Amino acid sequence: MPSNYQIKHTVQFPEQSAVPKEQSDNILFDILLEDILDNKSYCQELIRNILKLPYAQLPEFFSHHCDLVEDPIKWINKFEKLISENEESFVSRTMRGRMMKCYTIIESKRKELEITRNRHARRKPPMQYINAECEERYFSFREVKSKVNGMEDYTEKIMFLTNEKFDYEQASIDFINPKLPDYSDQCQKEIDQIQHLIRLTDEFSKQQMRKNAEGIPFNKLKINCNINQLVDIFYQLHRELFVNGKPILDGNINDFVAVIVNSFVDKNGQELSPETIKTVITPSKSDKRPKPHKRIDIDKLL
């Protein structure tokens, strides 16, 4: 790619990172104010630099210029757009690799800048609420607890606390507040409590599901007649008596067996046999149902 390649599109930078020649302290990365006539020439210099610099120096180039502007996030976003608008400058395989390298550097730098901005924007709590400090940040469980309470998802809470615990354990701590518990221990206790709540919630949910499935609690009813007489009543309602062409009780044999077995006991209080009930209610087993003179004829009662 020739060093005098002319860009086809520009992006308006609200502030430029060019420096006067007498203030330049980095010949390799600096863009001299004397060489910049307007926004277009500034854009041209930025593209020229990322096209000529070795790969290994690109991250330092971006960082250097971010240090020269008041709003580095806005500046780097504009630079990203400038590259995007001039992607035709990166037509060869080598140059496309360079373009992707720049995008990767920009994304990484943007995250770094956002973390720094958020850290500075956040009001530091009083020292009595700070568990520990390192060069990069402070650790306040009181602040963390407040954030966790504002989260609704249990998984999000645990992930956040785990990251805080990991950051603390990996940090080079400069100050520890002797009046407060260990930050890592507090995070772990909070994680344990949340996991306990998850287990309780899960158990309560299962109990509620069982309760809903069981319906209203009841004791099984005792049959003081012959078992086949009761089963025959269900048979009549299912196979012999109809309303608008449909059986009064509709369902399959297994459903009837389940209802009867789960609802009744015999005259001695003993559980009913599902096999016996199924045999009696099966249409082809008429010999197992009551004789006509012992039958409880539902049709006569209706």
Side-chain angles (χ1 to χ4, degrees):
M1 177 68 63
S3 60
N4 61 349
Y5 177 83
Q6 296 297 309
I7 60 173
K8 295 182 179 180
H9 306 283
T10 63
V11 171
Q12 187 63 47
F13 281 81
E15 58 177 328
Q16 298 177 356
S17 54
V19 296
K21 187 174 182 178
E22 64 271 14
Q23 296 180 13
S24 175
D25 58 3
N26 192 321
I27 299 176
L28 188 60
F29 297 149
D30 278 339
I31 295 176
L32 300 180
L33 191 60
E34 290 80 1
D35 296 334
I36 303 303
L37 301 176
D38 50 24
N39 183 73
K40 181 178 181 180
S41 59
Y42 178 67
C43 292
Q44 180 71 55
E45 280 299 302
L46 288 174
I47 294 295
R48 185 183 68 81
N49 273 275
I50 63 172
L51 291 177
K52 74 170 186 176
L53 285 171
Y55 269 42
Q57 293 177 342
L58 286 172
E60 191 177 349
F61 173 77
F62 281 96
S63 293
H64 176 74
H65 283 270
C66 283
D67 291 339
L68 296 174
V69 294
E70 291 186 8
D71 191 342
I73 293 181
K74 183 179 290 186
W75 182 87
I76 207 166
N77 287 341
K78 291 291 184 180
F79 201 168
E80 182 180 44
K81 186 176 181 181
L82 178 65
I83 296 172
S84 175
E85 292 288 339
N86 290 277
E87 285 192 357
E88 62 267 29
S89 304
F90 305 88
V91 290
S92 69
R93 179 180 299 179
T94 302
M95 285 301 170
R96 290 200 69 80
R98 180 177 289 269
M99 179 184 69
M100 297 309 298
K101 173 75 171 178
C102 288
Y103 281 147
T104 302
I105 294 169
I106 288 172
E107 183 62 28
S108 176
K109 186 65 179 177
R110 180 163 44 228
K111 289 181 179 179
E112 175 190 325
L113 292 169
E114 286 173 348
I115 291 172
T116 303
R117 172 185 284 182
N118 292 336
R119 186 182 300 140
H120 290 163
R122 187 172 62 187
R123 184 178 179 183
K124 188 176 180 180
M127 286 302 296
Q128 64 262 36
Y129 300 129
I130 294 178
N131 297 66
E133 278 188 302
C134 65
E135 184 178 352
E136 293 80 16
R137 56 166 293 186
Y138 63 85
F139 298 90
S140 170
F141 185 75
R142 185 174 187 266
E143 190 176 84
V144 164
K145 177 72 172 177
S146 177
K147 288 184 178 180
V148 169
N149 289 340
M151 300 175 183
E152 296 183 0
D153 183 69
Y154 281 143
T155 301
E156 183 183 3
K157 292 182 179 186
I158 292 175
M159 290 295 294
F160 175 69
L161 287 163
T162 301
N163 286 333
E164 284 294 310
K165 184 174 183 289
F166 179 80
D167 286 350
Y168 175 76
E169 292 173 349
Q170 297 298 313
S172 178
I173 302 299
D174 300 321
F175 163 78
I176 294 178
N177 190 336
K179 295 182 179 180
L180 293 177
D182 180 75
Y183 185 79
S184 179
D185 290 345
Q186 284 189 288
C187 288
Q188 185 59 53
K189 287 179 180 178
E190 188 71 15
I191 292 171
D192 293 342
Q193 182 180 1
I194 293 170
Q195 290 175 333
H196 182 63
L197 289 173
I198 292 173
R199 289 192 292 270
L200 286 177
T201 302
D202 185 56
E203 182 59 31
F204 290 153
S205 177
K206 289 179 180 178
Q207 289 180 6
Q208 188 62 43
M209 289 176 64
R210 287 195 294 267
K211 184 177 179 181
N212 292 339
E214 293 168 359
I216 301 173
F218 69 96
N219 295 319
K220 292 183 180 181
L221 302 177
K222 184 187 290 186
I223 304 170
N224 290 318
C225 62
N226 292 330
I227 294 173
N228 66 348
Q229 287 178 303
L230 175 73
V231 177
D232 182 58
I233 291 173
F234 282 91
Y235 178 83
Q236 294 176 58
L237 294 172
H238 176 51
R239 304 290 299 188
E240 298 179 357
L241 302 175
F242 300 88
V243 175
N244 298 325
K246 296 181 180 180
I248 292 178
L249 290 182
D250 204 353
N252 60 50
I253 289 179
N254 290 332
D255 292 334
F256 281 98
V257 172
V259 169
I260 295 170
V261 169
N262 291 328
S263 303
F264 301 96
V265 292
D266 67 16
K267 57 187 176 183
N268 297 316
Q270 299 299 312
E271 298 291 332
L272 303 180
S273 166
E275 291 76 15
T276 300
I277 304 302
K278 188 170 185 178
T279 299
V280 175
I281 205 169
T282 300
S284 61
K285 301 293 184 179
S286 59
D287 59 311
K288 300 298 181 180
R289 289 188 288 277
K291 302 299 180 183
H293 66 282
K294 290 188 176 182
R295 192 182 205 200
I296 301 173
D297 195 338
I298 300 298
D299 192 29
K300 292 180 180 180
L301 301 177
L302 295 177

